[in-house]
Amino acid sequence: MALIPMRVLLDHAAENGYGVGAFNVNNMEQIQAIMAAAQETDSPVIVQASRGARSYSDDNYLRHLMIAASELNPGIPIAMHQDHGNSPETCKSAVDMGFTSVMMDGSLEEDGKTPASWDYNVAVTKKVVEFAHAKGVTVEAELGCLGGIEDGQGAGLSEEEAQDHLTDPEEAGEFVKLTGCDALAVAIGTSHGAYKFKKKPTGQVLRMDVIREIHKRMPNCHMVMHGSSSVPKELIDIINEFGGEMPETYGVPVEDIQEGIKHGVRKINVDTDNRLAMTGAVRKLLATQKGHFDPRDYLKPARAAMQEVVAARMVQFGQAGNAGKVEQKTLADMVKYYS
Ligand code: G3H
Ligand code: 13P
Ligand code: ZN
């Protein structure tokens, strides 16, 4: 099956009340782990690459790996998504590279750090919607800012400061109407990376009420939750047991994500949990098999550990069992739909 537009997956998820995990990739093993989990659970998938991933792996390697993934898994609908595009140019280059979906993150300026104005966000998002929809490509936008900073991306807001940059439900409706985006990433107090919360989050810091309010006002809006890794203690413990030094930290509980899915969340971004799983497996192998030096010896358990996390999320988000049920619409079909 060719790569399909992300909008098709989100529409199916909305019609059937589930969410779709969007998993970040940088290399072959991560793509293989996601595809193996999708096969194991019969799930449609969103595979996403950040700007950092695109420069780390080179677009062309990524593109061919994704073509391989679709050839080897003909029964799995796959959307290929640009995560956190910082400008219309970045999104355009992703469309040209064959991505079937792009995120124009106009919540920050082009430097990926400075919170942007409403007018800037509307203008860049509209521009991307115009050229992406002309090719049938899906567009995700963001309103409000996440906390934290990851690989140079993010406003660097603390857990407390992030509370001042949450998505305003009233503005969300206006923003979606003005820009015509397909999906809206909302800021509800989460941040990228492993250090989201200093203790198990309560409703005061993880503002699920914002999601419920937006859904009440816009029941048809596909919402996206960024920074949605759950940062399981078991994964941190493995890293620390085998030489790592990660302090106590908390992520987004899966039950909160499931609550979000009941109220319009259709795409859930997960990167950190997979990083933790892979790193723990590599540390364990290298610490316990000190004579080993073949990269396959540690990449294989790393890939298996990521597959386990991804498969678990696919079941928890409800996308499992839906691979064969998604209509196989093409980019050309979506061009007609948008026009
Ligand atoms: O946006 C956050 C994702 O975890 C990607 O991170 O920019 O380090 O590839 P990255
Ligand atoms: P995590 O760092 O919580 O996995 O979030 C990833 C993300 O939002 C990518 O856009
Ligand atoms: Zn993100």
Side-chain angles (χ1 to χ4, degrees):
M1 189 189 294
L3 300 176
I4 71 164
M6 188 171 80
R7 173 71 190 255
V8 178
L9 297 188
L10 302 185
D11 284 349
H12 189 263
E15 279 154 27
N16 296 279
Y18 66 91
V20 187
F23 304 102
N24 289 74
V25 296
N26 301 269
N27 60 29
M28 181 183 76
E29 284 75 11
Q30 292 175 317
I31 294 175
Q32 289 175 325
I34 296 168
M35 295 318 300
Q39 281 291 353
E40 185 189 327
T41 61
D42 187 34
S43 297
V45 284
I46 300 169
V47 176
Q48 60 187 9
S50 65
R51 274 190 303 142
R54 287 178 63 191
S55 74
Y56 171 81
S57 59
D58 189 293
D59 274 353
N60 239 329
Y61 280 112
L62 262 189
R63 186 165 77 90
H64 286 279
L65 285 169
M66 289 309 300
I67 293 169
S70 66
E71 284 175 0
L72 292 168
N73 299 275
I76 304 288
I78 313 169
M80 177 67 187
H81 176 76
Q82 161 80 59
D83 191 23
H84 292 285
N86 66 323
S87 65
E89 291 70 34
T90 298
C91 295
K92 175 80 171 52
S93 71
V95 171
D96 291 344
M97 224 354 108
F99 284 59
T100 59
S101 178
V102 293
M103 175 184 192
M104 176 62 240
D105 183 356
S107 72
L108 300 174
E109 290 182 4
E110 194 167 341
D111 63 6
K113 291 179 175 59
T114 314
S117 68
W118 164 274
D119 288 346
Y120 171 89
N121 196 353
V122 169
V124 287
T125 305
K126 257 174 101 164
K127 190 169 173 184
V128 172
V129 165
E130 226 169 82
F131 66 70
H133 282 185
K135 301 239 159 137
V137 170
T138 309
V139 179
E140 173 185 335
E142 177 163 328
L143 187 62
C145 293
L146 264 68
I149 192 156
E150 185 82 346
D151 204 14
Q153 166 80 27
L157 305 171
S158 69
E159 190 182 323
E160 294 73 25
E161 287 165 339
Q163 294 296 323
D164 296 332
H165 291 77
L166 303 182
T167 308
D168 177 338
E170 203 172 307
E171 287 182 356
E174 180 69 4
F175 185 82
V176 170
K177 216 183 311 156
L178 282 173
T179 61
C181 62
D182 300 278
L184 184 68
V186 291
I188 56 165
T190 67
S191 55
H192 291 128
Y195 304 106
K196 300 181 194 303
F197 304 109
K198 296 180 199 85
K199 48 186 195 209
K200 192 171 186 299
T202 61
Q204 311 275 299
V205 290
L206 179 57
R207 297 286 303 276
M208 301 306 298
D209 58 309
V210 171
I211 285 184
R212 285 192 291 270
E213 185 58 31
I214 296 176
H215 187 56
K216 205 155 69 187
R217 290 163 184 253
M218 278 194 293
N220 297 324
C221 174
H222 299 317
M223 272 181 277
V224 182
M225 270 175 78
H226 282 248
S228 292
S229 277
S230 303
V231 194
K233 184 174 178 308
E234 313 86 79
L235 296 182
I236 303 273
D237 285 348
I238 295 173
I239 290 177
N240 288 343
E241 186 183 341
F242 296 102
E245 288 181 5
M246 294 189 69
E248 184 179 348
T249 178
Y250 293 84
V252 181
V254 168
E255 311 81 75
D256 287 296
I257 298 172
Q258 289 169 330
E259 162 79 0
I261 292 169
K262 284 193 199 132
H263 295 93
V265 170
R266 300 296 159 226
K267 173 173 181 276
I268 304 106
N269 285 14
V270 175
D271 186 359
T272 296
D273 284 354
N274 294 325
R275 292 176 170 185
L276 295 172
M278 292 187 93
T279 297
V282 171
R283 279 194 177 279
K284 183 172 178 185
L285 190 289
L286 293 178
T288 53
Q289 313 284 327
K290 297 204 176 196
H292 286 224
F293 58 89
D294 181 340
R296 289 172 298 189
D297 289 344
Y298 50 83
L299 290 175
K300 261 198 214 172
R303 186 174 62 186
M306 174 162 164
Q307 179 183 340
E308 199 179 313
V309 171
V310 173
R313 295 292 176 273
M314 285 169 162
V315 172
Q316 290 158 337
F317 300 163
Q319 73 204 83
N322 280 290
K325 298 180 188 159
V326 178
E327 209 188 326
Q328 297 188 19
K329 288 197 189 136
T330 62
L331 288 171
D333 293 330
M334 292 312 284
V335 171
K336 276 191 221 135
Y337 169 83
Y338 291 126
S339 60

